[in-house]
Amino acid sequence: MAAQERTIFAYEQHQDVGGVVTLHLAPGKKIEHLGIKIQFIGRIDMSMGVNEGRPHYDFVSLSKELSPPGILYQSTTEIPFFFRNMDKEHESYRGRNVSVRYFVKVIVERKFLPPLQKEHDIWIQVLGQAPAQNEAIKMEVGIEDCLHIEFEYERRVYHLQDTILGKIHFLLVRIKIKHMELAVIRRETSPQIDNGSNIFTETQTLVKYEIMDGAPVKGEVIPVKLSMCGIPADLTPTYSSVNNRFSVRYFLNLVLVDEEDRRYFKQQEIILWRKELG
């Protein structure tokens, strides 16, 4: 843990967390302390964005003594630490208004002086399992006597390195369509701390592709192929009501734009899960 200052170490959900605390003193100096301890903390932080200044919630908090009261004389002191079998049920996440954060915190207690403290974040990833059933998505949408399309995607549930495959069928076309886009949208929802009846929603377009250019004709079929690995933003698994504090959902947004720049769209939720670390 005492490696480069900006290094963030990643762990799988069930791995133990260990490292070394390194304490540095100026040459010829000494420090008397009342004990050195280390904490492992898992925190849901809702003090960001619209909730700025609000309290956080610690769902994991463990503490260990590294050293009893004494005096440090050496210019460098290294103390190993290890946390075993901790509960790390949530994956690390950093969103617009909420985050899930894991970190270790070293505290050097001092007499008559504030304690010396240092935090170091770690990143937790949670592996999921493929669903037993993964039905296709198939829907018909349109505008009466103007536009009628049928879209289908091969599956509803995808892992984070998956490829989305589908087709768009044009059954009726009586408007002049200029092009068609497919976007992946992340929607984060969190309640207001003081009043759970108010829900804050942040919608973020992660990627947008043009999948058709020009006017289609009746009977035309447009293929859809979107690699999740090509999305520049960090994808996370779908979070459903984490500790009743927030949710993160993903949607495919199909948009048709006509020659007058009017936009017709249809959203479909997809479920994401983590198949491997990375």
Side-chain angles (χ1 to χ4, degrees):
M1 279 304 205
Q4 297 88 353
E5 179 66 22
R6 296 184 180 179
T7 300
I8 296 181
F9 294 86
Y11 292 85
E12 192 269 330
Q13 177 186 20
H14 300 294
Q15 285 182 306
D16 298 329
V17 175
V20 176
V21 174
T22 303
L23 305 172
H24 297 282
L25 287 176
K29 298 291 185 178
K30 67 177 182 179
I31 180 173
E32 184 176 356
H33 63 87
L34 300 179
I36 303 171
K37 65 180 180 179
I38 189 167
Q39 297 176 331
F40 179 87
I41 297 173
R43 175 172 295 175
I44 296 177
D45 193 351
M46 303 186 69
S47 62
M48 308 156 58
V50 295
N51 287 319
E52 186 174 357
R54 304 300 174 88
H56 53 256
Y57 164 70
D58 291 347
F59 58 91
V60 175
S61 182
L62 300 173
S63 181
K64 288 188 174 184
E65 184 181 82
L66 294 180
S67 175
I71 301 175
L72 296 177
Y73 296 98
Q74 298 178 331
S75 58
T76 300
T77 301
E78 294 185 346
I79 308 174
F81 68 90
F82 212 75
F83 287 98
R84 292 181 172 86
N85 302 321
M86 307 92 64
D87 183 14
K88 305 186 291 297
E89 60 177 313
H90 307 307
E91 180 157 313
S92 296
Y93 171 75
R94 183 167 181 83
R96 297 290 181 87
N97 293 320
V98 63
S99 70
V100 177
R101 181 186 174 213
Y102 292 89
F103 60 96
V104 293
K105 181 177 182 180
V106 178
I107 302 172
V108 181
E109 299 285 356
R110 298 185 296 172
K111 190 175 183 179
F112 306 127
L113 292 172
L116 300 174
Q117 302 183 61
K118 182 70 173 181
E119 296 179 0
H120 197 118
D121 284 78
I122 64 172
W123 199 263
I124 300 298
Q125 294 185 339
V126 179
L127 297 179
Q129 293 183 342
Q133 294 183 334
N134 199 352
E135 72 277 9
I137 301 171
K138 190 173 184 179
M139 294 184 66
E140 294 185 9
V141 296
I143 305 169
E144 187 175 0
D145 297 328
C146 294
L147 177 68
H148 187 191
I149 65 174
E150 179 184 87
F151 69 88
E152 58 178 310
Y153 303 110
E154 286 190 348
R155 302 191 300 277
R156 184 182 301 273
V157 183
Y158 299 89
H159 61 77
L160 300 185
Q161 290 81 36
D162 220 334
T163 297
I164 296 172
L165 299 174
K167 297 177 182 178
I168 311 297
H169 302 261
F170 286 88
L171 307 178
L172 175 66
V173 184
R174 290 181 180 169
I175 58 177
K176 295 182 179 180
I177 296 175
K178 186 165 58 175
H179 66 268
M180 182 165 59
E181 303 168 347
L182 182 66
V184 177
I185 292 174
R186 174 159 56 208
R187 185 170 298 155
E188 174 190 291
T189 58
S190 57
Q192 184 178 2
I193 300 299
D194 296 335
N195 183 357
S197 62
N198 290 339
I199 302 297
F200 294 112
T201 301
E202 289 283 354
T203 300
Q204 182 181 4
T205 299
L206 303 183
V207 71
K208 181 164 54 178
Y209 291 117
E210 183 176 284
I211 59 174
M212 184 191 72
D213 184 19
V217 296
K218 180 180 178 180
E220 189 164 358
V221 179
I222 305 298
V224 173
K225 184 176 182 180
L226 192 157
S227 173
M228 309 292 275
C229 295
I231 298 177
D234 289 334
L235 286 178
T236 69
T238 295
Y239 299 113
S240 178
S241 189
V242 176
N243 278 90
N244 294 317
R245 282 173 166 78
F246 76 97
S247 298
V248 179
R249 301 162 67 192
Y250 289 88
F251 296 83
L252 296 177
N253 191 38
L254 184 68
V255 181
L256 288 86
V257 183
D258 68 14
E259 292 188 345
E260 298 180 8
D261 285 330
R262 290 177 296 196
R263 302 172 71 86
Y264 311 89
F265 66 91
K266 180 66 178 178
Q267 286 190 1
Q268 173 62 49
E269 184 175 7
I270 57 175
I271 309 298
L272 301 185
W273 63 284
R274 184 177 297 282
K275 183 179 181 181
E276 56 190 51
L277 302 179

